[in-house]
Amino acid sequence: MTGPEIHDRVDGMLRAWNGRDLDEFLSFMTPDVYWHDLGMPHPPAVGREEVRRFSESALRAFPDFRYEVRGAICIGEDGRSCVVPFTVHATSTGGFDPPGFAATGRSVCFVGLDYFQFRDGLVERIETRFDPLDAIEQLFGLRLRPMPGSWLERCLVGIQRTRAAWLRRATTPRRAGAAV
Protein backbone atom coordinates (compact mmCIF):
# COMPACT_ATOMS: atom_id res chain seq x y z
CA MET A 1 0.00 0.00 0.00
CA THR A 2 1.11 3.54 -0.58
CA GLY A 3 1.37 6.19 2.10
CA PRO A 4 -1.78 7.98 0.90
CA GLU A 5 -3.71 4.66 0.85
CA ILE A 6 -2.68 3.94 4.45
CA HIS A 7 -3.67 7.47 5.49
CA ASP A 8 -7.06 6.97 3.80
CA ARG A 9 -7.63 3.67 5.64
CA VAL A 10 -6.67 5.14 9.01
CA ASP A 11 -8.81 8.26 8.42
CA GLY A 12 -11.77 6.10 7.40
CA MET A 13 -11.45 3.90 10.47
CA LEU A 14 -11.27 6.93 12.77
CA ARG A 15 -14.27 8.59 11.15
CA ALA A 16 -16.24 5.38 11.57
CA TRP A 17 -15.12 4.93 15.22
CA ASN A 18 -15.79 8.52 16.23
CA GLY A 19 -19.11 8.35 14.32
CA ARG A 20 -20.10 5.17 16.20
CA ASP A 21 -20.52 3.27 12.91
CA LEU A 22 -19.15 -0.12 13.95
CA ASP A 23 -20.17 -1.82 10.68
CA GLU A 24 -18.05 0.69 8.77
CA PHE A 25 -15.26 0.46 11.37
CA LEU A 26 -15.12 -3.33 11.02
CA SER A 27 -15.20 -3.14 7.22
CA PHE A 28 -11.62 -1.83 7.36
CA MET A 29 -10.46 -5.08 9.05
CA THR A 30 -9.77 -8.60 7.87
CA PRO A 31 -12.26 -11.25 9.11
CA ASP A 32 -9.48 -12.72 11.29
CA VAL A 33 -8.23 -9.37 12.66
CA TYR A 34 -6.14 -9.55 15.84
CA TRP A 35 -6.41 -6.61 18.27
CA HIS A 36 -4.42 -6.41 21.48
CA ASP A 37 -5.38 -3.34 23.50
CA LEU A 38 -4.11 -2.69 27.03
CA GLY A 39 -7.61 -1.38 27.83
CA MET A 40 -9.23 -4.73 27.07
CA PRO A 41 -10.27 -6.76 30.12
CA HIS A 42 -9.11 -10.00 28.46
CA PRO A 43 -6.96 -9.30 25.38
CA PRO A 44 -6.72 -10.01 22.54
CA ALA A 45 -9.90 -9.71 20.48
CA VAL A 46 -9.57 -12.04 17.50
CA GLY A 47 -11.97 -11.75 14.59
CA ARG A 48 -14.50 -9.09 13.72
CA GLU A 49 -17.15 -10.36 16.15
CA GLU A 50 -14.82 -10.17 19.16
CA VAL A 51 -13.68 -6.71 18.04
CA ARG A 52 -17.35 -5.70 17.75
CA ARG A 53 -18.13 -6.98 21.28
CA PHE A 54 -15.18 -5.08 22.77
CA SER A 55 -16.03 -1.93 20.81
CA GLU A 56 -19.70 -2.05 21.88
CA SER A 57 -18.67 -2.53 25.51
CA ALA A 58 -16.18 0.36 25.35
CA LEU A 59 -18.70 2.69 23.72
CA ARG A 60 -21.40 1.80 26.28
CA ALA A 61 -18.95 2.59 29.08
CA PHE A 62 -17.61 5.74 27.39
CA PRO A 63 -20.32 7.09 25.06
CA ASP A 64 -18.32 10.25 24.32
CA PHE A 65 -15.10 8.31 23.57
CA ARG A 66 -13.10 10.41 21.11
CA TYR A 67 -9.95 9.19 19.34
CA GLU A 68 -7.73 11.89 17.83
CA VAL A 69 -4.50 11.58 15.89
CA ARG A 70 -1.95 13.72 17.76
CA GLY A 71 0.99 13.67 15.37
CA ALA A 72 2.38 12.35 12.14
CA ILE A 73 1.44 8.81 11.13
CA CYS A 74 4.65 6.82 10.66
CA ILE A 75 4.38 4.45 7.70
CA GLY A 76 6.62 1.41 7.40
CA GLU A 77 8.89 1.13 4.38
CA ASP A 78 7.21 -2.17 3.53
CA GLY A 79 3.86 -0.42 2.94
CA ARG A 80 2.19 -2.93 5.25
CA SER A 81 2.28 -1.13 8.57
CA CYS A 82 2.00 2.19 10.34
CA VAL A 83 2.11 3.71 13.82
CA VAL A 84 -0.54 6.22 14.80
CA PRO A 85 0.07 8.47 17.83
CA PHE A 86 -3.27 9.20 19.47
CA THR A 87 -5.06 11.04 22.25
CA VAL A 88 -8.22 9.63 23.81
CA HIS A 89 -10.83 11.73 25.59
CA ALA A 90 -13.71 9.88 27.29
CA THR A 91 -16.07 10.02 30.24
CA SER A 92 -17.11 6.94 32.21
CA THR A 93 -20.92 7.24 32.21
CA GLY A 94 -21.88 3.61 31.57
CA GLY A 95 -20.86 0.23 32.93
CA PHE A 96 -17.95 -1.61 31.34
CA ASP A 97 -19.11 -5.18 30.95
CA PRO A 98 -17.31 -7.48 30.87
CA PRO A 99 -15.89 -7.45 33.51
CA GLY A 100 -18.63 -5.44 35.25
CA PHE A 101 -17.05 -2.10 36.21
CA ALA A 102 -19.53 0.58 37.27
CA ALA A 103 -19.50 4.08 35.79
CA THR A 104 -17.43 6.57 37.76
CA GLY A 105 -18.63 9.75 36.06
CA ARG A 106 -14.98 10.77 35.71
CA SER A 107 -13.26 11.90 32.54
CA VAL A 108 -10.02 10.56 31.20
CA CYS A 109 -7.49 11.90 28.72
CA PHE A 110 -4.44 9.86 27.76
CA VAL A 111 -2.01 9.40 24.89
CA GLY A 112 -0.74 6.27 23.21
CA LEU A 113 0.28 4.57 20.00
CA ASP A 114 -1.60 2.22 17.69
CA TYR A 115 0.44 -0.11 15.52
CA PHE A 116 -1.47 -1.31 12.44
CA GLN A 117 -0.50 -4.08 10.03
CA PHE A 118 -2.33 -4.42 6.73
CA ARG A 119 -3.06 -7.37 4.45
CA ASP A 120 -4.74 -6.88 1.09
CA GLY A 121 -5.68 -3.32 2.00
CA LEU A 122 -7.34 -4.27 5.30
CA VAL A 123 -6.12 -4.09 8.89
CA GLU A 124 -5.05 -7.54 10.05
CA ARG A 125 -3.43 -6.59 13.36
CA ILE A 126 -3.74 -3.74 15.86
CA GLU A 127 -1.58 -3.29 18.92
CA THR A 128 -2.76 -0.45 21.16
CA ARG A 129 -0.21 0.80 23.67
CA PHE A 130 -0.68 3.41 26.39
CA ASP A 131 -0.01 3.77 30.10
CA PRO A 132 -2.94 1.96 31.75
CA LEU A 133 -2.04 3.29 35.20
CA ASP A 134 -2.51 6.83 33.92
CA ALA A 135 -6.03 6.03 32.69
CA ILE A 136 -6.93 4.05 35.84
CA GLU A 137 -5.71 6.83 38.15
CA GLN A 138 -7.87 9.35 36.29
CA LEU A 139 -10.96 7.14 36.16
CA PHE A 140 -10.86 5.95 39.76
CA GLY A 141 -9.45 9.11 41.33
CA LEU A 142 -6.68 7.09 42.96
CA ARG A 143 -2.94 7.54 42.97
CA LEU A 144 -1.44 4.14 42.22
CA ARG A 145 2.14 5.25 41.74
CA PRO A 146 3.84 6.21 44.98
CA MET A 147 5.21 9.71 45.37
CA PRO A 148 9.01 9.84 44.94
CA GLY A 149 10.73 9.35 48.29
CA SER A 150 7.50 8.44 50.12
CA TRP A 151 7.23 5.67 52.72
CA LEU A 152 5.15 3.71 50.19
CA GLU A 153 7.90 3.93 47.58
CA ARG A 154 10.49 2.77 50.14
CA CYS A 155 8.21 -0.07 51.21
CA LEU A 156 7.70 -1.21 47.60
CA VAL A 157 11.45 -1.06 46.96
CA GLY A 158 12.01 -3.22 50.07
CA ILE A 159 9.43 -5.76 48.86
CA GLN A 160 10.99 -5.82 45.40
CA ARG A 161 14.50 -6.34 46.76
CA THR A 162 13.32 -9.13 49.07
CA ARG A 163 11.54 -10.85 46.19
CA ALA A 164 14.52 -10.37 43.85
CA ALA A 165 16.87 -11.95 46.41
CA TRP A 166 14.47 -14.87 46.82
CA LEU A 167 14.22 -15.35 43.04
CA ARG A 168 18.00 -15.25 42.63
CA ARG A 169 18.39 -17.81 45.39
CA ALA A 170 15.67 -20.04 43.92
CA THR A 171 17.34 -20.07 40.50
CA THR A 172 20.97 -20.43 41.65
CA PRO A 173 22.25 -23.95 40.95
CA ARG A 174 23.29 -25.82 44.09
CA ARG A 175 26.60 -27.64 44.37
CA ALA A 176 26.41 -31.32 45.09
CA GLY A 177 26.77 -31.90 48.82
CA ALA A 178 26.21 -28.23 49.71
CA ALA A 179 24.13 -27.46 52.76
CA VAL A 180 20.69 -26.10 52.01
Side-chain angles (χ1 to χ4, degrees):
M1 293 175 57
T2 66
E5 289 172 328
I6 289 176
H7 274 276
D8 287 347
R9 298 300 191 291
V10 170
D11 288 344
M13 284 181 64
L14 298 184
R15 272 194 312 277
W17 176 266
N18 288 330
R20 308 303 183 257
D21 186 345
L22 292 183
D23 290 332
E24 180 71 10
F25 179 68
L26 294 168
S27 75
F28 287 95
M29 300 176 193
T30 62
D32 61 342
V33 62
Y34 173 99
W35 186 6
H36 189 283
D37 185 326
L38 295 176
M40 290 177 174
H42 308 288
V46 179
R48 287 180 180 159
E49 283 312 305
E50 285 188 23
V51 168
R52 177 184 294 279
R53 281 193 294 276
F54 169 69
S55 299
E56 289 171 345
S57 180
L59 291 173
R60 269 192 312 274
F62 304 95
D64 66 344
F65 190 112
R66 186 100 184 126
Y67 182 109
E68 299 170 354
V69 176
R70 66 177 166 88
I73 296 173
C74 299
I75 299 172
E77 288 182 10
D78 61 2
R80 290 185 15 91
S81 61
C82 71
V83 174
V84 180
F86 66 81
T87 301
V88 164
H89 301 273
T91 308
S92 172
T93 58
F96 194 63
D97 192 29
F101 292 132
T104 65
R106 296 181 60 92
S107 293
V108 63
C109 176
F110 60 89
V111 298
L113 299 169
D114 268 331
Y115 172 65
F116 294 100
Q117 286 182 315
F118 297 89
R119 182 178 75 227
D120 300 326
L122 298 174
V123 174
E124 72 171 337
R125 185 179 186 93
I126 306 170
E127 294 180 28
T128 302
R129 300 294 180 252
F130 62 95
D131 181 354
L133 280 182
D134 184 30
I136 291 168
E137 287 179 338
Q138 291 177 59
L139 287 172
F140 296 162
L142 298 171
R143 183 163 182 92
L144 300 174
R145 289 185 179 95
M147 295 294 290
S150 68
W151 69 269
L152 180 55
E153 182 182 60
R154 291 189 302 275
C155 182
L156 290 173
V157 167
I159 291 169
Q160 186 277 333
R161 287 181 177 181
T162 301
R163 178 73 175 149
W166 183 85
L167 289 170
R168 285 191 307 270
R169 185 169 180 235
T171 59
T172 302
R174 305 267 182 233
R175 291 190 331 243
V180 178

